[in-house]
Amino acid sequence: MGFLRYLLSPIELPDHARVHNLRSYYSQNVTLSGNPNSHDGYFLRRAVQLDHEPLVEFLLVHGCDPLQKAGLAIKLAIRRKDARM
């Protein structure tokens, strides 16, 4: 998923702006190829690791399964002791 790689890349754009860009693509009914569960849920795990709450929310809303890889994304959030995640 190129858009998720873009969101997780070290670009000089604030996180909320990048997530806003992705949301705007979806709101315009643009067909994006890709699956939020691709790579065994890597994108959700990485978003949790980076404390990227807007992206975590976006992925979950669009069907990402937090139970991939034996619920590793959930375990990471619990380990961080961060109620937002």
Side-chain angles (χ1 to χ4, degrees):
M1 283 187 96
F3 285 105
L4 294 178
R5 286 191 188 101
Y6 157 73
L7 288 170
L8 293 172
S9 66
I11 299 176
E12 306 260 339
L13 193 61
D15 289 341
H16 67 277
R18 288 191 264 178
V19 172
H20 173 73
N21 289 345
L22 186 58
R23 283 188 180 133
S24 69
Y25 281 112
Y26 271 90
S27 68
Q28 296 171 14
N29 294 322
V30 173
T31 303
L32 299 176
S33 62
N35 178 352
N37 292 310
S38 64
H39 304 293
D40 293 321
Y42 168 79
F43 296 111
L44 180 61
R45 290 192 313 272
R46 188 70 177 135
V48 169
Q49 284 178 324
L50 295 174
D51 195 30
H52 199 309
E53 186 179 354
L55 182 55
V56 170
E57 178 185 349
F58 179 86
L59 289 169
L60 292 173
V61 165
H62 286 89
C64 193
D65 182 6
L67 298 176
Q68 292 227 4
K69 284 278 199 183
L72 186 56
I74 295 171
K75 291 175 186 175
L76 288 170
I78 291 170
R79 194 175 305 144
R80 293 174 56 88
K81 298 178 182 175
D82 186 351
R84 294 175 306 131
M85 290 289 142

